[in-house]
Amino acid sequence: MTAVQPPVKSADRTLEVLEALAASRERRSLVELSRALDIPKSSLHGILRTMARRRWVETDPTGTRFGLGVRALEVGAAYLDADDAVGLVSSVLDDLSRQFGEAVHLGRLDGPNVVYLAKRESAHRLRLYSAIGRRLPAHATALGKALLAHRPDAVAGLELHRLTANTITDPDALEAELEKSKERGYAVDREENTEGIVCFAMAVPLTDPPTDAISVSVPVPRVAPDSEERITGALGRAMTQIRAARSMFS
Protein backbone atom coordinates (compact mmCIF):
# COMPACT_ATOMS: atom_id res chain seq x y z
CA MET A 1 0.00 0.00 0.00
CA THR A 2 1.33 3.42 -0.97
CA ALA A 3 1.97 5.64 2.04
CA VAL A 4 -0.02 8.87 2.19
CA GLN A 5 2.32 11.76 1.55
CA PRO A 6 2.11 14.75 3.91
CA PRO A 7 1.02 18.05 2.33
CA VAL A 8 3.57 20.63 1.28
CA LYS A 9 3.43 23.05 4.21
CA SER A 10 3.75 26.30 2.26
CA ALA A 11 1.14 25.26 -0.30
CA ASP A 12 -1.18 24.03 2.43
CA ARG A 13 -0.94 27.35 4.26
CA THR A 14 -1.57 29.34 1.09
CA LEU A 15 -4.76 27.39 0.41
CA GLU A 16 -5.85 27.82 4.03
CA VAL A 17 -5.52 31.58 3.58
CA LEU A 18 -7.58 31.52 0.38
CA GLU A 19 -10.32 29.45 2.03
CA ALA A 20 -10.40 31.72 5.09
CA LEU A 21 -10.74 34.85 2.95
CA ALA A 22 -13.41 33.20 0.81
CA ALA A 23 -15.43 32.32 3.91
CA SER A 24 -15.54 35.92 5.12
CA ARG A 25 -17.67 38.72 3.70
CA GLU A 26 -15.33 41.31 5.20
CA ARG A 27 -11.61 41.91 4.82
CA ARG A 28 -9.54 40.44 7.65
CA SER A 29 -6.47 41.73 9.41
CA LEU A 30 -3.14 39.97 9.71
CA VAL A 31 -3.78 39.37 13.42
CA GLU A 32 -7.25 37.90 12.77
CA LEU A 33 -5.94 35.54 10.10
CA SER A 34 -2.95 34.53 12.20
CA ARG A 35 -5.18 33.58 15.12
CA ALA A 36 -7.78 31.82 13.01
CA LEU A 37 -5.26 29.77 11.02
CA ASP A 38 -2.60 29.33 13.72
CA ILE A 39 0.09 30.64 11.39
CA PRO A 40 2.85 32.90 12.79
CA LYS A 41 2.38 36.51 11.71
CA SER A 42 5.83 36.66 10.15
CA SER A 43 5.14 33.62 7.93
CA LEU A 44 1.60 34.77 7.15
CA HIS A 45 2.76 38.24 6.13
CA GLY A 46 5.12 36.71 3.56
CA ILE A 47 2.34 34.52 2.17
CA LEU A 48 -0.05 37.47 1.89
CA ARG A 49 2.59 39.67 0.28
CA THR A 50 3.26 37.02 -2.37
CA MET A 51 -0.46 36.45 -2.98
CA ALA A 52 -1.07 40.19 -3.29
CA ARG A 53 1.72 40.54 -5.83
CA ARG A 54 0.02 37.87 -7.94
CA ARG A 55 -3.44 39.46 -7.45
CA TRP A 56 -4.92 36.59 -5.43
CA VAL A 57 -5.27 38.97 -2.49
CA GLU A 58 -6.18 42.64 -2.25
CA THR A 59 -5.83 45.10 0.65
CA ASP A 60 -7.94 47.97 1.83
CA PRO A 61 -6.60 51.57 1.43
CA THR A 62 -4.70 51.27 4.73
CA GLY A 63 -2.93 48.12 3.55
CA THR A 64 -3.80 46.34 6.81
CA ARG A 65 -6.90 44.33 5.92
CA PHE A 66 -6.97 41.57 3.33
CA GLY A 67 -9.59 40.10 1.00
CA LEU A 68 -9.73 37.98 -2.14
CA GLY A 69 -8.26 39.53 -5.28
CA VAL A 70 -9.41 39.57 -8.87
CA ARG A 71 -7.33 36.49 -9.72
CA ALA A 72 -9.58 34.40 -7.48
CA LEU A 73 -12.58 35.61 -9.48
CA GLU A 74 -10.88 34.75 -12.77
CA VAL A 75 -10.11 31.21 -11.66
CA GLY A 76 -13.61 30.70 -10.27
CA ALA A 77 -15.13 31.91 -13.53
CA ALA A 78 -12.81 29.58 -15.47
CA TYR A 79 -14.09 26.64 -13.42
CA LEU A 80 -17.69 27.46 -14.36
CA ASP A 81 -16.80 28.09 -18.01
CA ALA A 82 -15.16 24.67 -18.26
CA ASP A 83 -17.96 22.79 -16.47
CA ASP A 84 -20.14 20.93 -18.97
CA ALA A 85 -23.08 20.62 -16.59
CA VAL A 86 -23.34 24.38 -16.09
CA GLY A 87 -23.45 24.95 -19.83
CA LEU A 88 -25.92 22.14 -20.43
CA VAL A 89 -28.51 23.30 -17.91
CA SER A 90 -28.23 27.02 -18.70
CA SER A 91 -31.28 27.06 -20.97
CA VAL A 92 -33.24 25.02 -18.42
CA LEU A 93 -32.52 27.61 -15.73
CA ASP A 94 -33.64 30.35 -18.13
CA ASP A 95 -36.90 28.50 -18.90
CA LEU A 96 -37.73 27.95 -15.22
CA SER A 97 -36.97 31.58 -14.46
CA ARG A 98 -39.30 32.75 -17.22
CA GLN A 99 -42.08 30.38 -16.14
CA PHE A 100 -42.18 31.36 -12.47
CA GLY A 101 -40.30 34.64 -12.12
CA GLU A 102 -38.65 33.22 -9.00
CA ALA A 103 -35.03 32.54 -8.03
CA VAL A 104 -33.61 29.44 -9.72
CA HIS A 105 -30.35 27.78 -8.64
CA LEU A 106 -28.02 25.04 -9.80
CA GLY A 107 -26.19 23.56 -6.82
CA ARG A 108 -23.47 20.93 -6.43
CA LEU A 109 -22.95 18.64 -3.44
CA ASP A 110 -19.52 19.17 -1.88
CA GLY A 111 -19.11 17.07 1.26
CA PRO A 112 -21.79 18.09 3.77
CA ASN A 113 -22.61 21.26 1.84
CA VAL A 114 -24.16 22.48 -1.38
CA VAL A 115 -22.41 25.15 -3.45
CA TYR A 116 -24.30 27.41 -5.86
CA LEU A 117 -22.88 27.07 -9.38
CA ALA A 118 -25.42 29.17 -11.27
CA LYS A 119 -28.49 31.26 -10.53
CA ARG A 120 -31.28 33.23 -12.10
CA GLU A 121 -32.63 36.15 -10.09
CA SER A 122 -36.24 36.54 -9.06
CA ALA A 123 -38.24 39.09 -11.02
CA HIS A 124 -39.79 40.37 -7.77
CA ARG A 125 -38.53 42.93 -5.27
CA LEU A 126 -39.09 40.50 -2.38
CA ARG A 127 -36.47 37.85 -3.10
CA LEU A 128 -33.98 35.40 -1.65
CA TYR A 129 -30.41 36.61 -1.20
CA SER A 130 -27.93 34.25 -2.85
CA ALA A 131 -24.63 34.34 -4.69
CA ILE A 132 -22.71 31.99 -6.96
CA GLY A 133 -20.15 30.19 -4.84
CA ARG A 134 -22.22 30.44 -1.68
CA ARG A 135 -21.97 27.30 0.48
CA LEU A 136 -24.94 26.04 2.50
CA PRO A 137 -25.47 22.97 4.73
CA ALA A 138 -26.99 20.25 2.55
CA HIS A 139 -29.39 18.99 5.23
CA ALA A 140 -31.13 22.38 5.41
CA THR A 141 -31.70 22.95 1.68
CA ALA A 142 -33.92 21.37 -0.93
CA LEU A 143 -30.91 21.17 -3.26
CA GLY A 144 -28.92 19.24 -0.67
CA LYS A 145 -31.75 16.92 0.34
CA ALA A 146 -32.48 16.10 -3.31
CA LEU A 147 -28.86 14.90 -3.62
CA LEU A 148 -28.47 13.27 -0.19
CA ALA A 149 -31.56 11.18 -0.96
CA HIS A 150 -29.54 9.29 -3.58
CA ARG A 151 -26.74 8.36 -1.18
CA PRO A 152 -26.92 5.46 1.29
CA ASP A 153 -26.00 6.40 4.85
CA ALA A 154 -26.04 10.06 3.79
CA VAL A 155 -26.97 11.24 7.27
CA ALA A 156 -24.12 9.44 9.03
CA GLY A 157 -21.49 11.91 10.13
CA LEU A 158 -23.48 15.03 9.21
CA GLU A 159 -23.52 17.83 11.76
CA LEU A 160 -27.16 18.89 11.69
CA HIS A 161 -26.85 22.52 12.70
CA ARG A 162 -30.03 24.53 13.15
CA LEU A 163 -30.41 27.49 10.77
CA THR A 164 -34.07 28.29 11.48
CA ALA A 165 -36.83 26.99 13.72
CA ASN A 166 -37.81 24.58 10.92
CA THR A 167 -34.37 23.06 10.25
CA ILE A 168 -34.38 19.28 10.69
CA THR A 169 -31.74 18.44 13.27
CA ASP A 170 -32.83 14.93 14.30
CA PRO A 171 -31.00 12.22 12.26
CA ASP A 172 -34.01 9.88 12.18
CA ALA A 173 -36.31 12.67 11.03
CA LEU A 174 -33.85 13.61 8.29
CA GLU A 175 -33.57 9.98 7.18
CA ALA A 176 -37.36 9.84 6.87
CA GLU A 177 -37.39 13.12 4.94
CA LEU A 178 -34.75 11.87 2.51
CA GLU A 179 -36.68 8.65 1.94
CA LYS A 180 -39.80 10.67 1.20
CA SER A 181 -37.82 12.87 -1.20
CA LYS A 182 -36.48 9.85 -3.05
CA GLU A 183 -39.94 8.29 -3.38
CA ARG A 184 -41.61 11.37 -4.83
CA GLY A 185 -38.59 12.41 -6.91
CA TYR A 186 -38.05 15.89 -5.44
CA ALA A 187 -37.12 17.59 -2.17
CA VAL A 188 -38.73 20.47 -0.33
CA ASP A 189 -37.21 23.00 2.05
CA ARG A 190 -39.99 24.63 4.07
CA GLU A 191 -38.19 27.58 5.65
CA GLU A 192 -35.42 25.26 6.85
CA ASN A 193 -32.54 27.31 5.45
CA THR A 194 -34.03 30.80 5.34
CA GLU A 195 -37.11 31.99 7.17
CA GLY A 196 -39.84 33.03 4.78
CA ILE A 197 -38.54 30.97 1.84
CA VAL A 198 -39.90 27.66 0.50
CA CYS A 199 -37.78 25.80 -2.02
CA PHE A 200 -38.40 22.84 -4.35
CA ALA A 201 -35.51 20.92 -5.91
CA MET A 202 -34.78 17.93 -8.12
CA ALA A 203 -31.53 16.10 -8.79
CA VAL A 204 -30.01 16.52 -12.25
CA PRO A 205 -29.73 13.10 -13.99
CA LEU A 206 -26.23 13.42 -15.43
CA THR A 207 -24.24 11.19 -13.07
CA ASP A 208 -25.01 8.24 -10.80
CA PRO A 209 -25.37 9.19 -8.04
CA PRO A 210 -26.23 12.74 -9.10
CA THR A 211 -23.96 15.53 -7.91
CA ASP A 212 -26.04 18.51 -9.05
CA ALA A 213 -29.60 19.67 -8.45
CA ILE A 214 -31.85 22.50 -9.61
CA SER A 215 -34.18 24.43 -7.34
CA VAL A 216 -36.88 27.09 -7.47
CA SER A 217 -37.23 29.27 -4.37
CA VAL A 218 -40.44 31.12 -3.48
CA PRO A 219 -41.13 33.58 -0.63
CA VAL A 220 -43.95 32.28 1.58
CA PRO A 221 -46.38 35.11 0.66
CA ARG A 222 -46.21 33.99 -2.99
CA VAL A 223 -46.67 30.26 -2.33
CA ALA A 224 -50.05 29.26 -3.78
CA PRO A 225 -51.97 26.02 -3.15
CA ASP A 226 -50.80 24.66 -6.52
CA SER A 227 -47.21 25.98 -6.36
CA GLU A 228 -45.66 22.65 -5.37
CA GLU A 229 -47.45 20.77 -8.15
CA ARG A 230 -46.67 23.38 -10.81
CA ILE A 231 -43.01 23.84 -9.90
CA THR A 232 -42.16 20.17 -9.42
CA GLY A 233 -43.98 19.35 -12.66
CA ALA A 234 -41.83 21.91 -14.48
CA LEU A 235 -38.69 20.54 -12.80
CA GLY A 236 -39.64 17.03 -13.94
CA ARG A 237 -40.02 18.18 -17.53
CA ALA A 238 -36.70 19.99 -17.30
CA MET A 239 -34.97 16.79 -16.13
CA THR A 240 -36.47 14.90 -19.08
CA GLN A 241 -34.96 17.54 -21.34
CA ILE A 242 -31.56 17.21 -19.64
CA ARG A 243 -31.70 13.40 -19.73
CA ALA A 244 -32.19 13.59 -23.48
CA ALA A 245 -28.93 15.53 -23.76
CA ARG A 246 -27.05 13.15 -21.46
CA SER A 247 -25.18 11.62 -24.37
CA MET A 248 -22.86 14.64 -24.20
CA PHE A 249 -21.45 13.18 -20.97
CA SER A 250 -20.99 9.60 -22.17
Side-chain angles (χ1 to χ4, degrees):
M1 181 179 297
T2 304
V4 177
Q5 297 296 315
V8 177
K9 190 173 184 179
S10 59
D12 207 40
R13 283 181 166 179
T14 299
L15 294 175
E16 286 181 350
V17 171
L18 278 176
E19 290 169 358
L21 294 177
S24 176
R25 293 188 183 180
E26 298 179 350
R27 297 183 188 274
R28 305 182 70 176
S29 71
L30 179 67
V31 172
E32 290 171 346
L33 288 169
S34 177
R35 289 173 179 169
L37 302 176
D38 194 25
I39 300 175
K41 286 188 290 185
S42 57
S43 300
L44 182 57
H45 187 264
I47 292 171
L48 289 167
R49 187 173 62 248
T50 300
M51 295 172 73
R53 187 167 60 245
R54 301 195 58 157
R55 298 184 300 130
W56 283 94
V57 165
E58 293 177 352
T59 63
D60 67 354
T62 69
T64 61
R65 302 190 70 83
F66 303 86
L68 290 179
V70 69
R71 189 77 181 109
L73 173 62
E74 292 171 358
V75 171
Y79 173 85
L80 295 177
D81 288 343
D83 191 284
D84 290 335
V86 175
L88 183 63
V89 306
S90 180
S91 62
V92 167
L93 302 181
D94 291 339
D95 288 344
L96 290 168
S97 178
R98 280 193 293 268
Q99 284 183 65
F100 300 104
E102 302 291 357
V104 180
H105 292 92
L106 171 68
R108 177 163 295 168
L109 192 65
D110 182 33
N113 302 302
V114 166
V115 179
Y116 289 148
L117 297 185
K119 62 176 290 191
R120 300 295 184 270
E121 290 284 8
S122 168
H124 305 276
R125 298 183 70 177
L126 175 61
R127 62 178 65 177
L128 167 71
Y129 165 77
S130 64
I132 294 174
R134 190 180 183 197
R135 180 178 295 267
L136 298 169
H139 73 279
T141 65
L143 287 167
K145 290 192 288 184
L147 295 167
L148 291 175
H150 291 269
R151 286 160 170 76
D153 302 321
V155 178
L158 286 182
E159 296 184 10
L160 305 182
H161 298 296
R162 183 176 298 282
L163 277 68
T164 73
N166 291 334
T167 306
I168 300 174
T169 57
D170 178 73
D172 292 335
L174 182 58
E175 288 275 15
E177 176 71 8
L178 296 181
E179 185 61 33
K180 185 187 301 182
S181 299
K182 188 172 183 180
E183 288 176 359
R184 67 190 174 197
Y186 64 89
V188 184
D189 153 17
R190 302 187 190 279
E191 301 184 77
E192 296 163 48
N193 175 63
T194 304
E195 291 182 0
I197 298 292
V198 174
C199 188
F200 307 95
M202 197 170 288
V204 177
L206 291 176
T207 58
D208 187 18
T211 58
D212 301 337
I214 293 174
S215 68
V216 178
S217 301
V218 188
V220 168
R222 292 201 294 272
V223 176
D226 65 343
S227 290
E228 183 166 343
E229 181 180 0
R230 291 174 55 241
I231 291 173
T232 58
L235 283 170
R237 292 188 292 274
M239 298 312 161
T240 299
Q241 178 182 338
I242 292 171
R243 195 176 288 109
R246 189 176 180 177
S247 58
M248 294 176 61
F249 285 75
S250 59

